[in-house]
Amino acid sequence: CKILGLLIIFSTLFSFVCYADNPLVQTLYTADPAPMVYDGTCYLYTGHDEDTIVNNFYTMNDWRCYSSTDMVNWTDHGSPLKATTFSWAKGDAWAGQVINRNGKFYFYVPVTRKTGGYALGVAVSDSPVGPFTDAIGKPLVTNNGGSDIDPTVFIDDNGQAYMYWGNGNLWYVKLNQDMISYSGSVVQVSKPSGYIEGPWFYKRNNLYYMVYAGWAGGSENIQYATSNSPTGPWTSKGAIMPNQNSFTNHPGVTDYKGNSYFFYHTGNLPGGGSYHRSVGVEQFKYNSDGTIPNIPITQT
Ligand code: FUB
């Protein structure tokens, strides 16, 4: 009878506590996770590491899309967008983000141009799983050559959308309502301490958050900063995830069904490393003052 009681308690607990198997995607190498919640489903867009020569570089040709309604079981939707979908691009499908506005989905990405240097492109689709097509037939932003990577987009409560991006420095533009053009000029903000790349911009309880890959003794950790304004100044709040075994890391943060989730990448899949990365996810709780706690990695 005691054993039966324990079994009932255990199975009741187990039915409420479900953990994802990390790395989330075990069929190919994925990086730069970007979650987007739409219509009750969490979509996850990732880069795709295809390097066949170890320690070559980031060989990335397309982005991938997955979805889940429980953060445990993920459906593979294949590739919704390739770097060469942009006729002006040569390749390098690095870290992007998808956002929904007015029933359309906008995919902001960095790619290398045929004429050289990085640029940010925007693709559009009627479906969160694509296919996405080039929205404007030319780069949305070409600013500083090698630094124009890792766009992150957020639409504020008043409808103003912002796109931040940058390696080494942090820039933003104010996107127009059409989401495929911007007004005013490119603004460089004073970057928060330790900032390297991979910004993830969002707002929670009237506080703006910029989570990013920071420099930590030879490789990247994850740090964040906050501001009372969408355009800064940004106050550094320190590290929330230590260096992993992949040199880079890249944050993606979302709330889903009443819980908060932190996406990242490591080199934890067999054969993994800096150019064979894999995305994972951890559930976390904000502290009562809005700060983000340290987020330990679970590997199952
Ligand atoms: O995946 C290629 C680059 O590595 C991304 O753009 C950076 O954020 C870093 O993860």
Side-chain angles (χ1 to χ4, degrees), residues 31-32 58 60 94-95 149-150 197-198 220 248-250 265 277:
D32 305 326
Y58 302 102
M60 305 177 80
W94 285 17
I149 63 167
D150 296 359
E197 60 182 358
E220 291 179 350
T248 64
N249 198 346
H250 192 105
H265 67 227
R277 298 165 293 177

Side-chain angles (χ1 to χ4, degrees), residues 14-299:
F14 192 73
S15 67
F16 287 110
V17 184
C18 285
Y19 293 104
D21 280 342
N22 284 320
L24 278 189
V25 180
Q26 310 212 342
T27 47
L28 43 75
Y29 295 109
T30 54
D32 305 326
M36 180 199 65
V37 173
Y38 174 73
D39 203 15
T41 297
C42 182
Y43 294 90
L44 177 65
Y45 304 88
T46 75
H48 175 196
D49 279 343
E50 297 185 78
D51 182 31
T52 49
I53 307 164
V54 174
N55 291 336
N56 184 16
F57 199 52
Y58 302 102
T59 306
M60 305 177 80
N61 299 307
D62 62 1
W63 292 270
R64 314 293 296 191
C65 177
Y66 304 86
S67 71
S68 177
T69 53
D70 61 8
M71 290 300 205
V72 175
N73 300 290
W74 292 86
T75 302
D76 186 346
H77 297 285
S79 173
L81 179 65
K82 295 183 189 346
T84 51
T85 298
F86 300 94
S87 60
W88 45 271
K90 191 167 62 173
D92 297 311
W94 285 17
Q97 183 177 351
V98 177
I99 195 161
N100 163 247
R101 186 165 211 171
N102 298 332
K104 285 201 181 294
F105 300 86
Y106 297 92
F107 205 152
Y108 300 87
V109 294
V111 282
T112 44
R113 287 175 296 175
K114 282 178 176 160
T115 52
Y118 272 88
L120 304 180
V122 56
V124 66
S125 175
D126 291 329
S127 162
V129 298
F132 286 82
T133 54
D134 187 353
I136 52 177
K138 61 181 183 182
L140 176 60
V141 165
T142 50
N143 181 38
N144 296 303
S147 300
D148 293 328
I149 63 167
D150 296 359
T152 177
V153 173
F154 168 71
I155 305 171
D156 211 343
D157 301 333
N158 63 4
Q160 177 64 60
Y162 299 85
M163 178 175 72
Y164 272 89
W165 75 94
N167 172 294
N169 279 303
L170 189 56
W171 292 272
Y172 76 83
V173 288
K174 289 184 176 180
L175 292 172
N176 294 329
Q177 290 266 338
D178 65 10
M179 299 300 277
I180 57 173
S181 62
Y182 63 88
S183 294
S185 50
V186 170
V187 179
Q188 183 178 336
V189 297
S190 177
K191 60 182 173 178
S193 102
Y195 176 86
I196 296 288
E197 60 182 358
W200 185 265
F201 179 39
Y202 66 101
K203 182 183 188 180
R204 178 180 180 270
N205 293 344
N206 288 324
L207 188 63
Y208 296 89
Y209 290 75
M210 189 71 69
V211 188
Y212 54 89
W215 193 241
S219 62
E220 291 179 350
N221 65 0
I222 299 293
Q223 307 181 21
Y224 79 107
T226 58
S227 178
N228 292 319
S229 154
T231 54
W234 293 98
T235 304
S236 178
K237 294 287 181 178
I240 51 174
M241 180 174 277
N243 319 39
Q244 303 299 316
N245 54 354
S246 50
F247 182 72
T248 64
N249 198 346
H250 192 105
V253 185
T254 194
D255 280 359
Y256 183 63
K257 294 187 175 172
N259 293 312
S260 300
Y261 293 91
F262 184 87
F263 291 82
Y264 57 93
H265 67 227
T266 66
N268 283 347
L269 207 60
S274 295
Y275 307 114
H276 283 161
R277 298 165 293 177
S278 294
V279 300
V281 64
E282 308 297 341
Q283 192 178 317
F284 73 99
K285 275 193 193 336
Y286 290 88
N287 297 318
S288 54
D289 60 359
T291 54
I292 304 177
N294 286 324
I295 302 176
I297 283 188
T298 55
Q299 173 90 14

